[in-house]
Every structure is written in structure tokens, then in C-alpha cells.
Amino acid sequence: MSEKKEVRVRFAPSPTGALHIGGGHTALFNWLWARHNGGKFILRIEDTDLVRSTKEYEETIMSGMKWLGLEWDEGPDIGGNYGPYRQSERLNIYREYAEKLVSEGKAYRDGEAIIFKVEPGQDISFKDIVYGQIDVMSDGLREKDTDKLKDIVIIKSDGMPTYNYAVVIDDHLMNITHVIRGEDHISNTPKQILIYRALGWEVPEFAHLPMILGRDKKKLSKRHGATSIYEYRDMGYMPDSMFNFLALLGWSAGDDKEIFTRSEAAELFELSRVTRKAAVFDFDKLNHINQEHLKALDPMVRLGMVKPFWIEAGLPVSEHDDKYFADALTLMAGRGRTAKEMAEFSDYFVSFTPVKDRWNSEGLDKEKLNKFFAALFASPEWKAEALEEIARSWVGAQEGAKMKDFAMPLRFALTGMKVSPGIFEVAELLGRDECEKRIKYFFG
Ligand code: GLU
């Protein structure tokens, strides 16, 4: 048996925009396949559109990939044995093979341009790992209006290679074993196969990925909300959750497992389990996944995610130490779907100001409540359990009183919220002095 070839895959973005959901998804599936097989993940920048390509976009794409945790093994910034990894730096290579095709009579010149001849009667069917058998004859590659067999421009008159040509040269020279990309490229694949054959090269395996749709089943676009990966970062979604969520668009681990880390996903990933059915971008699912990852985070890491949102809201984060804040967020665990929401829901731990802003005393029986508070503050111990014990027995001693009639106003005075973690736990963490200050302010 021949030795198994090292799996080599690539993500080949054109730097003409930010890293979008679709691009991130394609990059991620390539990464998963490389890691699953112990292979290599290559980043190649397809910047032959000189007008629309920019260095800035190249950089945002790279930092978006890094944010998602998709580190590459070879690429324009780190090099590798198969470089250069930017198409604009490979023009002489494209020229060389185009000349070869011309000299072999497989391509011809038309002015400055070089055109690849499409011969009729060729079977250019292929078996896609995801979509299965795709049957195409070269005769099908016809010009729309004239119905003439359509030759393929490989070098344009400005000297730049076209996508369908450059991609073949690069995928071959970079030893790519699996071409994993969006299903919008299925129709390009037969043309690429013709070029592989003309050059006498082995054709790689193809796996096209399903389209990503919005909830209305239309192609995901700006209308559906944020489309760039960074917008999700800025909304407080965690890279781990975004990774987890994108991995589940068109793939599942085969059981009900929905929450996983990068390495778990890499271990479980199989190209053969990718579905052809378009995947729907479901915000509820993203929120659920993010919430689960937030819950599972190390408290200090979680604080690192939440704190910037407190700062952004103008809250005085220097008034407490990180241990206090991390404890507060541990209490909050499971509340808030994003770091941003968690920051909003926990602002009262940072400062009393937002509590005052939300306060209204409508319908409160101040006198009665004050007796309840006095009982609480008489506690020798400022611990959740002790406070709850006191509250229960005090309320129990009142004719017809219910715990919630006292716990709710207490919660509102301490947090300015109608929902919060257990209010006695909140009180313990805030501390006796701070609680006294807040209660006095509203009821004193
Ligand atoms: N630059 C192409 C794109 O962004 C790459 C397609 C491919 O992976 O072959 O769509």
C-alpha cells in the first residue's frame, strides 16, 4: 500500500473586504480538516484584482482568522516551502505555464491575452465529497448568447491571470490535496479540471460547502444583520462560541453534542458528514452556544471578556479588585447571552449609580420594609445563608406575608433589577457597608 499523502488544504480569500461569515466558515472547515488529519492549513491571498484588493483587507482577514483561532501553517506572513503565498507575487509562474500551454497548442493568444482552448466531447465530471457525482461535459461550457463552445481566458490582456487558471496552478504547486470551498464554486470546478488535465496534473479532491442562509432562507447578507466576523466580536460574542457555532453550520458531530472546544471539533470533524442542505444562520443558537461557553469560562478569563463593556459604559472599574469582579461574574453565570449582556446585567456590582438611575419607589410600603431591613442588618454575620435564614423567619412571623414581597424590593434596591442571582448571595458579595448605603439611600 502506498504511504498516505499528507493532507494539505488552503483558504484562499480575495482581500477585497473583511472576513465575512461565509469566509470564516470556509476557513474553519479547512482548518478542521487539516487538524483532523494532522495535515497543513495554508493561507493564500488571491489579490489579482489589483483595484479592489488592499493590504488593509488582507490584514483584517488575517486578524479575523486569528481571533477565531484558525492559525495557518504556511502563508504570506510566515512563509513556507511553497511560497510566495500572494498571487500578485506569482505572476511569472502563471506566465510560464501559460506559455507552455501555448507552445503545446492547448492555448492561444488573442492580443495580449492568453486563451485556453476548450475541446468538445470531454467528460469533466467529478465526484464531490459533499455533493456527490456532478456530471458535466465540456460541450456544456457554452457562451450564453452565441452557444459557441466557450474557451477560457487564462491571462487577461493586462497580464493578470484569471481566477480559474491561477487557482489550478497554485493548488497544484502548493500540493493541495483537498479543495474545500463554498458551493458557489461548483460551476468553476469542471473548467479547473480541464486545465489540470491539459498540464498533466493530478486533480485534487473537491468538497464544496453548503451555502449559509438567513432565517428567511435567503442568502445571508447585510439585511440579516452583522455579516463580518468582527461585528460579532464587538457585540460580545466569544471566539470559542463563534468557532463552535460556525462549525455547526452544515456539519454535526453525529450525536446531540452541540458544545465543543476547537480540539474536540477537530477530532470529531469528518468532511463526509458535511450536509448539502443550505445551513441557516440561527441567532438563537449562536446565543445559546455563547451562553454555554461563557458559563464554562475560567472566572478571570470571563472577567477579561466582560470588563471592556463596563468600561465602555463608563463604569468605574478601578473601585474594586479583580477577585471581587470575577466572583460577581461567577454568580452571574448563565445570565447574559453575550459578554456585553453579562456586563449590562451586572453593572450594580461595579457601581451604585446605575441602580439609582433605575430606581422608582412606587407602591412600596417603606415602613414595613424598613423593619425587614433592620432585621437583616441586625445579623452578626453578613453571609447569604444567615441572611436568608433571618429573612425567612422574619417573614414567617408576619401575618400573611410572602418572601417575595420583601425579597423583591430588596433586590430592586440593591441592583435596580427585577431579576438577579440569589439576592442574599448578591448582598453577601456587595458587602454589609455597601448594602447599608444603598438601602439607606432609598429608605432612610
Ligand atoms: N479567491 C476565491 C474566493 O474568494 C477562492 C475560491 C477557491 O477557494 O477556489 O472565492
Side-chain angles (χ1 to χ4, degrees):
M1 236 174 76
S2 67
E3 206 183 306
K4 219 175 150 214
K5 254 211 277 183
E6 177 183 59
V7 167
R8 290 176 57 85
V9 294
R10 85 304 190 276
F11 175 51
S14 305
T16 54
L19 183 63
H20 285 143
I21 294 295
H25 182 248
T26 300
L28 189 139
F29 277 47
N30 275 282
W31 184 92
L32 283 171
W33 191 235
R35 295 295 171 260
H36 179 77
N37 290 289
K40 293 283 187 297
F41 174 50
I42 291 122
L43 173 63
R44 180 173 73 227
I45 299 293
E46 304 211 323
D47 58 347
T48 53
D49 182 341
L50 296 178
V51 181
R52 292 171 59 228
S53 300
T54 70
K55 265 264 147 26
E56 286 72 36
Y57 282 136
E58 185 179 312
E59 274 154 26
T60 37
I61 290 171
M62 290 200 211
S63 52
M65 289 171 71
K66 284 186 185 153
W67 183 75
L68 280 172
L70 308 177
E71 302 287 342
W72 48 97
D73 305 301
E74 298 167 27
D77 56 334
I78 51 170
N81 291 334
Y82 301 84
Y85 293 92
R86 232 178 243 114
Q87 289 191 325
S88 61
E89 294 165 17
R90 301 172 63 80
L91 300 183
N92 54 336
I93 303 175
Y94 306 129
R95 167 76 46 193
E96 181 193 324
Y97 287 99
E99 297 293 351
K100 182 170 185 272
L101 288 168
V102 172
S103 70
E104 291 172 357
K106 294 169 178 163
Y108 57 91
R109 281 177 218 283
D110 181 7
E112 295 295 303
I114 299 182
I115 322 280
F116 178 83
K117 246 190 265 178
V118 175
E119 304 288 354
Q122 293 189 71
D123 185 353
I124 36 177
S125 305
F126 65 102
K127 191 163 186 274
D128 189 274
I129 297 176
V130 176
Y131 285 82
Q133 182 67 22
I134 310 250
D135 289 318
V136 191
M137 292 297 288
S138 63
D139 307 63
L141 306 178
R142 284 179 189 279
E143 209 127 19
K144 267 210 193 79
D145 21 353
T146 63
D147 206 39
K148 246 179 51 200
L149 206 56
K150 197 178 180 191
D151 292 343
I152 302 167
V153 179
I154 56 176
I155 304 279
K156 293 181 281 183
S157 49
D158 66 359
M160 296 306 270
T162 57
Y163 158 70
N164 275 317
Y165 171 65
V167 78
V168 169
I169 304 296
D170 291 346
D171 286 342
H172 172 75
L173 295 180
M174 294 182 181
N175 261 335
I176 299 304
T177 55
H178 299 77
V179 170
I180 304 171
R181 60 187 171 200
E183 59 96 60
D184 49 327
H185 285 292
I186 286 187
S187 62
N188 288 321
T189 306
K191 297 179 201 161
Q192 294 172 15
I193 290 173
L194 279 176
I195 299 173
Y196 278 105
R197 286 201 196 143
L199 288 163
W201 292 344
E202 194 186 328
V203 179
E205 301 235 36
F206 294 100
H208 288 88
L209 304 175
M211 214 164 34
I212 301 171
L213 305 179
R215 253 216 276 231
D216 56 359
K217 303 283 161 74
K218 299 231 169 74
K219 196 172 155 61
L220 196 67
S221 76
K222 250 332 244 171
R223 286 178 303 115
H224 296 100
T227 51
S228 106
I229 294 288
Y230 270 163
E231 289 173 85
Y232 289 87
R233 176 198 62 186
D234 296 343
M235 285 187 276
Y237 291 98
M238 298 189 332
D240 296 2
S241 329
M242 223 40 215
F243 179 105
N244 190 154
F245 173 71
L246 290 174
L248 289 173
L249 289 177
W251 173 75
S252 70
D255 48 22
D256 287 341
K257 192 170 165 66
E258 280 218 309
I259 305 297
F260 36 67
T261 62
R262 288 184 186 77
S263 53
E264 284 169 339
E267 196 177 310
L268 295 167
F269 186 73
E270 282 298 342
L271 267 183
S272 59
R273 289 196 56 87
V274 174
T275 61
R276 314 173 191 191
K277 215 176 114 208
V280 175
F281 191 101
D282 178 351
F283 275 96
D284 294 340
K285 187 155 176 183
L286 172 59
N287 285 331
H288 166 71
I289 289 174
N290 200 61
Q291 193 159 16
E292 291 302 315
H293 279 275
L294 261 180
K295 247 198 261 182
L297 275 188
D298 169 84
M300 282 297 169
V301 177
R302 188 189 294 126
L303 175 59
M305 309 261 342
V306 172
K307 208 185 219 179
F309 292 104
W310 283 333
I311 295 172
E312 203 183 286
L315 295 171
V317 291
S318 53
E319 286 178 12
H320 294 276
D321 59 19
D322 281 356
K323 167 85 174 71
Y324 164 84
F325 284 139
D327 286 348
L329 295 180
T330 301
L331 260 190
M332 293 296 296
R335 288 164 202 276
R337 297 164 300 181
T338 64
K340 190 175 185 184
E341 269 191 7
M342 197 178 238
E344 284 165 11
F345 295 170
S346 62
D347 60 359
Y348 52 85
F349 282 112
V350 190
S351 156
F352 185 29
T353 311
V355 183
K356 290 188 217 163
D357 294 343
R358 291 191 284 265
W359 179 255
N360 92 62
S361 58
E362 230 173 277
L364 294 180
D365 182 343
K366 267 192 167 186
E367 212 177 306
K368 194 138 207 195
L369 283 167
N370 263 326
K371 287 186 188 144
F372 169 70
F373 296 143
L376 287 183
F377 287 113
S379 171
E381 241 198 326
W382 198 255
K383 289 264 186 259
E385 258 175 58
L387 293 172
E388 183 160 1
E389 180 71 44
I390 291 171
R392 288 208 181 282
S393 59
W394 189 87
V395 172
Q398 313 295 308
E399 190 73 27
K402 286 198 209 85
M403 184 68 163
K404 75 169 200 327
D405 300 334
F406 296 90
M408 286 304 281
L410 174 64
R411 165 172 291 123
F412 198 44
L414 295 184
T415 69
M417 302 274 186
K418 297 233 154 51
V419 281
S420 77
I423 193 56
F424 300 109
E425 282 159 309
V426 171
E428 177 181 333
L429 189 60
L430 282 170
R432 184 195 289 265
D433 292 349
E434 184 64 24
C435 291
E436 230 170 343
K437 179 176 114 188
R438 294 185 184 190
I439 298 290
K440 277 226 175 82
Y441 184 89
F442 295 130
F443 292 91

